[in-house]
Amino acid sequence: MYRMALMALIAGDVPGINRERCIKIAIVHDIAETIVGDITPPDGVPKVEKSRPEQAALNEMCNVLGGGMREYEDNASLEANLVKDFDKVEMILQALEYETDEFFLSTAGKFQTEIGKSWAAEINSRRNSRLAKKLN
């Protein structure tokens, strides 16, 4: 969440994107995890089963904090799309740091914005260089 907010802060100006809104979405996007925990792709939980407790938690949090958090979950704005890409970029950064393939595989081809695609390509390029050095 913190790294995603920093991504929103340092991303170049994107036409039609409100940077402050991106930062706010990044900060609260996974607030449901405070109730259900972080269910990641390597956990092998089917999307439908993962969604059920997260939606219940999100409904509970929206009742407490207001409905604005649905924007991210519903992919309802350019800002939400960009922050979703930041979430995926952050995931593959973790994979690079932890030397695991699952996050790279689960995000491949799923980036929605040019910034997300560009950052993911750079991370993949650095990973491939690192892997090539290990083989030599």
Side-chain angles (χ1 to χ4, degrees), residues 108-126:
K110 295 184 180 175
F111 292 91
Q112 304 173 81
T113 65
E114 290 307 312
I115 290 175
K117 290 173 188 175
S118 172
W119 288 3
E122 178 63 26
I123 293 166
N124 276 298
S125 174
R126 290 181 186 200

Side-chain angles (χ1 to χ4, degrees), residues 2-109:
Y2 177 74
R3 189 158 30 184
M4 290 169 57
L6 287 177
M7 288 178 195
L9 183 65
I10 67 168
D13 289 333
V14 179
I17 295 287
N18 179 321
R19 183 185 319 263
E20 181 180 334
R21 196 158 150 213
C22 286
I23 293 168
K24 288 177 180 179
I25 292 170
I27 290 171
V28 301
H29 84 284
D30 272 342
I31 202 161
E33 289 180 7
T34 61
I35 296 171
V36 298
D38 189 11
I39 303 169
T40 63
D43 294 331
V45 176
K47 193 170 188 171
V48 172
E49 290 194 28
K50 176 183 188 255
S51 180
R52 195 175 313 121
E54 287 180 348
Q55 285 301 311
L58 183 61
N59 289 340
E60 183 178 330
M61 297 307 277
C62 284
N63 287 338
V64 172
L65 300 173
M69 294 173 3
R70 290 219 177 273
E71 179 179 352
Y72 177 83
E73 291 300 319
D74 295 342
N75 227 14
S77 67
L78 293 173
E79 289 85 359
N81 292 340
L82 184 57
V83 174
K84 279 187 178 277
D85 277 1
F86 290 161
D87 197 15
K88 292 177 187 83
V89 166
E90 204 281 328
M91 187 187 311
I92 62 175
L93 278 170
Q94 282 185 41
L96 184 63
E97 293 161 356
Y98 299 145
E99 299 282 333
T100 183
D101 290 330
E102 290 95 0
F103 292 154
F104 285 97
L105 296 172
S106 71
T107 60

